[in-house]
Amino acid sequence: MEELSHWIDGKHTRGTSGRFADVFNPATGEVQARVPLASKAELDAAVASAAAAQVKWGATNPQRRARVMMEVVRLLNRDMDKLAEALSREHGKTLPDAKGDVQRGLEVIEFCIGAPHLLKGEFTDSAGPGIDMYSMRQPLGVAAGITPFNFPAMIPLWKMGPALAAGNAFILKPSERDPSVPLMLAEIFQEAGLPDGVLQVVNGDKEAVDAILDNPTIQAVGFVGSTPIAEYIYSRGCANGKRVQCFGGAKNHMIIMPDADMDQAADALVGAGYGAAGERCMAISVAVPVGDATADALIERLIPRIEKLKVGPYTAGNDVDYGPVVTAAARENILRLVNSGIEQGAKLVVDGRNFSLQGYETGFFVGPHLFDHVTPQMDIYRKEIFGPVLSTVRAASYEEALGLAMDHEYGNGTAIFTRDGDTARDFANRVNVGMIGINVPIPVPLAYHTFGGWKKSAFGDLNQHGPDAFRFYTRTKTITSRWPSGIREGSAFNFKAMD
Ligand code: NAD
């Protein structure tokens, strides 16, 4: 069986902890590789080496660093098919979706080519008598990223790109469930000209994460994953004096107003609810039709569309709408929640529990599920299911629908489908959620805007990618200067205006 490695100082490095995790092919259920789980000592050694490499990289001019990003973009395009295949094999998502995963990461690297502009400081000439004042953005030193299984290319690239372009060294601790693509990304950065040691990929589990949180050299930690782990990492990282941003789970509502184009809404819901088997933090997991007539019209359109969905392995090519979920445990958790929905009184309109695929009986496939008459008290409404399960909560009015999205503990994304500009505008202004779609079901912002949720979906005050990423991975230094030829004032004992 293949034994994966870490990527330390520019080469694949075997783990020495003696601990490993199995990496599955979710389509077949077979273990296809094992990945080493780093010890604290391995993590600390990787950080020490990264800190040494960062000194020269941080002093490299930003345009040269940007040229490395330019080359990374070229190489990601060159290797797109290879990356997508490796990604689908470990994650289970379809090949076109895997290419989208790489593409949305690549777009952030494209944005990072603009690092020289984004890192420019500010200058005030003659701020006082003979005094100039300027601010500069300097790298933090060593930063770390801890990433989830569901976007093994995109999210590592969202973290690595801005951190490295800003002049930091970076420790990536990817998900132990699909670690191959992050290792391939490290090879690409090296080929693009990134000096060895500046990017280290350390595979691992809680032990490696705790070592990151406790390592005094690491200045900043960016995390993406589930909310309980986000809360843990945020509090332990902050307690250790680090700059921390954590992005957590979601329960994204889509409100369907009576005036919406019902076919458009149904098509959007099917893609946003079941794409990637629902394993997206921006998936729509709750449909909120306003009024019973809207709900009936929607359900009537959803059922045939959902029953037609093709579920299968990525190797079946374009014939597949979504693949298996990532592990047997994820599958069990989804089915347990589906059963709880039935027990708690929701109406299961499309039942995917007995789904089985000939030749892939041991794969982690879950058929599509649609619930109607879900209420806010039910577990299927309160909890993130992270599977192909769409819950319908019927609302009597727009205000009730808005209140549902407002009252839910998560606030990552939400959407409204309507033809009425006033309602859409009111929704966008009032809802307490970070990313809003108006007749757009998955409103993931592009690389030059920022990505982040509200409430229990994000911890910390800056978002991912866009200008916020460069703020997160740099610190500002402000210099006030006067040269000897400047105006002499004698000793000053009081604070006063500079005039
Ligand atoms: P997860 O929280 O299980 O794991 C995320 C990372 O944390 C992994 O690297 C993992 O090794 C590490 N980890 C897991 N358990 C840990 C522990 N006890 N202590 C320390 N570290 C630990 O998440 P996942 O299952 O990989 O990913 C799915 C979750 O990520 C979903 O909740 C999804 O909504 C969320 N997500 C959020 C966003 C966002 O931007 N808000 C984006 C993608 C995914």
Side-chain angles (χ1 to χ4, degrees):
M1 189 199 306
E2 189 187 0
E3 185 175 315
L4 299 172
S5 55
H6 306 295
W7 177 265
I8 308 289
D9 297 341
K11 49 185 182 299
H12 289 283
T13 306
R14 285 179 75 107
T16 56
S17 71
R19 294 195 309 123
F20 294 89
D22 288 337
V23 180
F24 291 88
N25 176 341
T28 62
E30 286 159 12
V31 177
Q32 54 181 329
R34 58 180 201 159
V35 62
L37 302 174
S39 64
K40 178 171 164 37
E42 286 173 291
L43 187 281
D44 287 343
V47 174
S49 168
Q54 189 272 333
V55 176
K56 198 163 165 209
W57 177 245
T60 301
N61 77 55
Q63 203 154 2
R64 281 187 189 280
R65 296 200 300 254
R67 283 187 195 128
V68 172
M69 301 297 145
M70 218 181 292
E71 185 61 2
V72 169
V73 170
R74 190 183 73 78
L75 297 174
L76 288 171
N77 278 313
R78 183 196 68 184
D79 291 354
M80 181 66 83
D81 290 342
K82 206 166 75 174
L83 288 160
E85 205 279 331
L87 198 158
S88 293
R89 194 167 4 103
E90 288 183 356
H91 177 286
K93 64 175 78 173
T94 65
L95 281 172
D97 202 29
K99 285 184 189 168
D101 190 328
V102 179
Q103 176 65 27
R104 291 308 283 267
L106 178 158
E107 288 170 10
V108 168
I109 306 298
E110 283 176 335
F111 176 71
C112 292
I113 296 170
H117 170 69
L118 291 156
L119 294 168
K120 266 187 331 207
E122 294 173 330
F123 188 90
T124 304
D125 168 54
S126 300
I131 291 177
D132 300 326
M133 194 174 283
Y134 57 99
S135 303
M136 55 169 93
R137 292 199 164 275
Q138 294 195 321
L140 303 172
V142 182
I146 301 160
T147 54
F149 82 85
N150 68 326
F151 283 100
M154 182 183 85
I155 294 179
L157 288 168
W158 285 9
K159 304 275 173 214
M160 283 146 58
L164 295 169
N168 299 285
F170 195 71
I171 309 290
L172 175 68
K173 204 304 285 172
S175 170
E176 61 276 40
R177 295 184 213 154
D178 43 16
S180 289
V181 167
L183 290 165
M184 291 164 78
L185 295 178
E187 289 175 0
I188 284 177
F189 272 82
Q190 182 186 53
E191 191 181 342
L194 188 75
D196 292 348
V198 173
L199 170 65
Q200 316 271 48
V201 181
V202 180
N203 284 302
D205 57 2
K206 181 170 166 49
E207 184 171 339
V209 170
D210 287 347
I212 287 172
L213 297 174
D214 295 343
N215 184 296
T217 303
I218 294 177
Q219 299 296 306
V221 178
F223 169 85
V224 181
S226 59
T227 287
I229 310 298
E231 285 179 310
Y232 167 71
I233 287 175
Y234 190 70
S235 59
R236 185 155 169 175
C238 290
N240 284 335
K242 298 186 195 311
R243 187 178 287 199
V244 189
Q245 58 173 195
C246 293
F247 299 91
K251 196 80 182 174
N252 304 317
H253 293 52
M254 178 168 137
I255 292 169
I256 303 100
M257 296 298 293
D259 67 350
D261 177 325
M262 240 12 100
D263 286 308
Q264 186 194 38
D267 285 340
L269 267 173
V270 170
Y274 301 96
E279 289 177 324
R280 289 180 180 141
C281 70
M282 289 293 278
I284 295 288
S285 48
V286 183
V288 189
V290 173
D292 274 332
T294 311
D296 293 341
L298 185 71
I299 297 278
E300 186 187 301
R301 283 168 175 78
L302 283 175
I303 291 173
R305 283 169 167 83
I306 295 169
E307 285 175 346
K308 258 193 253 146
L309 286 174
K310 285 176 256 151
V311 185
Y314 76 93
T315 43
N318 290 339
D319 283 343
V320 172
D321 293 313
Y322 75 81
V325 298
V326 69
T327 55
R331 186 170 179 273
E332 276 160 31
N333 185 47
I334 294 163
L335 296 178
R336 192 179 46 74
L337 278 160
V338 167
N339 285 329
S340 82
I342 299 166
E343 281 156 23
Q344 292 171 18
K347 185 173 170 201
L348 188 58
V349 186
V350 179
D351 185 351
R353 285 175 297 169
N354 294 322
F355 179 86
S356 171
L357 195 64
Q358 206 182 0
Y360 293 89
E361 289 80 1
T362 50
F364 310 138
F365 292 97
V366 183
H369 296 78
L370 175 66
F371 276 109
D372 196 1
H373 298 287
V374 174
T375 64
Q377 296 72 34
M378 295 177 183
D379 287 348
I380 51 169
Y381 179 75
R382 290 187 303 108
K383 296 190 178 171
E384 182 180 42
I385 302 176
F386 226 52
V389 183
L390 182 64
S391 296
T392 309
V393 182
R394 295 174 174 234
S397 65
Y398 163 69
E399 286 296 331
E400 188 186 330
L402 172 68
L404 284 165
M406 302 272 290
D407 291 344
H408 204 285
E409 65 170 344
Y410 291 120
N412 214 37
T414 186
I416 186 164
F417 275 60
T418 179
R419 286 191 169 94
D420 185 85
D422 273 348
T423 310
R425 188 168 184 276
D426 183 79
F427 182 71
N429 281 338
R430 285 168 66 197
V431 72
N432 54 0
V433 171
M435 292 169 282
I436 319 295
I438 298 172
N439 298 313
V440 173
I442 303 193
V444 175
L446 289 176
Y448 41 92
H449 288 268
T450 70
F451 180 109
W454 287 17
K455 300 186 278 184
K456 292 258 181 189
S457 293
F459 305 86
D461 62 353
L462 289 170
N463 278 349
Q464 307 192 81
H465 65 63
D468 270 13
F470 280 84
R471 292 189 192 110
F472 183 73
Y473 290 113
T474 56
R475 57 185 135 217
T476 308
K477 187 180 273 179
T478 306
I479 295 106
T480 306
S481 83
R482 177 160 61 198
W483 294 98
S485 58
I487 294 155
R488 289 169 190 273
E489 287 187 317
S491 304
F493 296 97
N494 305 313
F495 264 15
K496 60 184 174 73
M498 270 196 191
D499 52 21

